[in-house]
Amino acid sequence: MQEAGGRRQEAGGRMQDAGGRMQGFDKCRNLRIFQNLSSSLKDREHTERMKRALVIIPTYNEIENVQTIIPEILRQDERLEVLVVDDNSPDGTAAEVKRMMTENPRIHILERQRKMGLGTAYLAGFKHAIAQGYDYVFEMDADHSHSPDVLPRFLESIEEYDLVLGSRYIQGVNVINWPMKRLLLSYFANQYTRIVTGLPVRDATGGFKCFRVEVLKAIDLDRVRSNGYSFQIEMSFKAWKKGFRLHEIPIIFMDRRVGISKMSKKIVREAVTMVWRLRMQSILGRVR
Ligand SMILES: Nc1nc2c(ncn2[C@@H]2O[C@H](COP(=O)(O)OP(=O)(O)O)[C@@H](O)[C@H]2O)c(=O)[nH]1
Ligand SMILES: [Mg+2]
């Protein structure tokens, strides 16, 4: 940045010289002040634009969804890039993403050999984001349950907070098209999580969120144990315990229209025990 700023000043200087020759030094003073001001505004704008945000999308058999969701995401803000983490989807999701990559350099892919779960897919994406120097890192589903229109609001909030969570439960219940059974499960799972862990958020299991990369660097990613919904709880809990600032913004969650859910009873069982493990870690001062 300094180098860029320096170059800009030099350019400003050259313009002053030209102006000086034409109109005399004093007459150019106001023009110079104006030039310096506008150049410093441009510098600030430039610095902000330099922030890079990576939207990580884990996929398993989402070929139709990636075709539509990725362009919608990229349209929201020029700072956004997308990383698909695909687990060798039999429907050819990865091949489709690679085709899209030939047309747009803001799309990336990480391919894994087999279906290994949502949590480890995100962990692989987080490590990539850290290594590649991104500033903000999003989690987002491929299936249009999370609306890309909210991404600009996340980008605003992440300027002030360290972890911004999309919440279905801060303005009533904003879930569309879920069977009542699943909604009740999610709602009470969240109450249960809050009681057991103390995590002060309304929606701890949601998967639409944005981390400052510093949060990901502070958490020992190799020690993150959970893989399903409790992965979301574990990441937010660890961020909170490490003193980072969490903030919830309202989102509307829509059930998928295309493809099938990978939700299972095993994922629910994992969450039930994980919250107790987190509480124990906290009591013993072992949150890493
Ligand atoms: N890479 C990868 N992605 C997964 C896996 N399981 C689920 N996903 C993706 O995670 C996101 C959320 O999963 P989904 O089945 O919609 O869960 P639901 O919304 O809770 O029913 C989707 O983009 C899925 O394609 C997995 O094992 N590996
Ligand atoms: Mg879904």
Side-chain angles (χ1 to χ4, degrees):
M1 275 323 295
Q2 270 175 358
E3 208 190 308
R7 269 204 299 272
R8 222 169 267 120
Q9 266 180 5
E10 208 184 284
R14 271 202 298 275
M15 285 173 76
Q16 284 165 28
D17 289 349
R21 253 178 272 128
M22 276 159 56
Q23 298 170 344
F25 182 78
D26 282 345
K27 286 187 184 165
C28 279
R29 197 162 167 264
N30 288 346
L31 178 64
R32 234 176 30 240
I33 290 169
F34 174 75
Q35 281 170 345
N36 286 345
L37 188 68
S38 84
S39 134
S40 92
L41 281 175
K42 268 189 212 139
D43 271 349
R44 197 180 303 161
E45 226 175 73
H46 189 68
T47 311
E48 274 164 21
R49 222 182 281 127
M50 287 296 287
K51 293 253 191 276
R52 296 164 67 222
L54 187 66
V55 181
I56 303 174
I57 307 182
T59 56
Y60 193 73
N61 287 343
E62 305 282 7
I63 187 162
E64 283 179 71
N65 285 319
V66 289
Q67 287 165 350
T68 48
I69 197 81
I70 294 175
E72 276 181 42
I73 292 169
L74 296 179
R75 208 180 301 137
Q76 301 300 323
D77 193 291
E78 61 182 354
R79 290 168 292 181
L80 294 170
E81 295 177 39
V82 167
L83 174 70
V84 171
V85 184
D86 185 68
D87 282 4
N88 208 359
S89 299
D91 73 349
T93 301
E96 177 56 20
V97 173
K98 283 191 254 178
R99 190 198 59 75
M100 297 172 80
M101 283 164 60
T102 61
E103 290 164 9
N104 194 328
R106 291 159 68 201
I107 308 174
H108 315 278
I109 191 162
L110 224 161
E111 291 181 85
R112 307 198 302 169
Q113 285 311 304
R114 60 190 169 81
K115 188 172 185 322
M116 288 187 275
L118 185 89
T120 59
Y122 274 127
L123 292 173
F126 292 161
K127 287 179 183 174
H128 177 90
I130 292 170
Q132 298 296 316
Y134 288 92
D135 303 286
Y136 305 140
V137 184
F138 285 84
E139 290 185 15
M140 191 171 171
D141 289 356
D143 59 0
H144 291 269
S145 290
H146 300 147
S147 169
D149 304 355
V150 196
L151 289 166
R153 269 201 280 140
F154 272 100
L155 285 170
E156 268 170 38
S157 277
I158 201 67
E159 299 276 330
E160 279 178 62
Y161 298 94
D162 301 308
L163 170 55
V164 180
L165 308 173
S167 177
R168 297 162 288 187
Y169 307 124
I170 41 171
Q171 287 181 352
V173 174
N174 284 310
V175 176
I176 296 174
N177 278 348
W178 254 4
M180 186 51 87
K181 198 172 130 202
R182 188 148 181 208
L183 178 60
L184 288 173
L185 175 69
S186 169
Y187 190 80
F188 287 108
N190 272 291
Q191 307 272 30
Y192 172 79
T193 300
R194 204 162 60 239
I195 293 165
V196 177
T197 64
L199 179 64
V201 301
R202 296 240 150 222
D203 190 351
T205 54
F208 196 9
K209 49 213 268 188
C210 179
F211 297 88
R212 267 178 191 268
V213 75
E214 289 78 13
V215 178
L216 301 176
K217 286 180 183 166
I219 294 173
D220 186 345
L221 297 178
D222 292 325
R223 281 179 184 272
V224 174
R225 295 281 296 270
S226 36
N227 212 3
Y229 288 113
S230 54
F231 173 77
Q232 306 301 355
I233 303 170
E234 184 170 355
M235 289 301 297
S236 296
F237 180 81
K238 289 184 169 172
W240 172 60
K241 278 286 161 187
K242 285 176 182 293
F244 288 108
R245 298 158 303 169
L246 272 58
H247 180 61
E248 285 183 286
I249 60 171
I251 59 156
I252 297 172
F253 181 95
M254 277 229 254
D255 198 19
R256 61 163 72 238
R257 280 162 298 178
V258 179
I260 53 162
S261 167
K262 288 99 206 169
M263 161 84 169
S264 68
K265 288 212 173 73
K266 186 174 153 224
I267 285 175
V268 178
R269 280 199 300 274
E270 181 194 43
V272 172
T273 50
M274 178 53 70
V275 288
W276 288 102
R277 188 180 308 205
L278 292 174
R279 183 173 178 161
M280 284 312 293
Q281 282 179 6
S282 175
I283 291 168
L284 299 172
R286 286 200 197 143
V287 179
R288 280 180 279 204

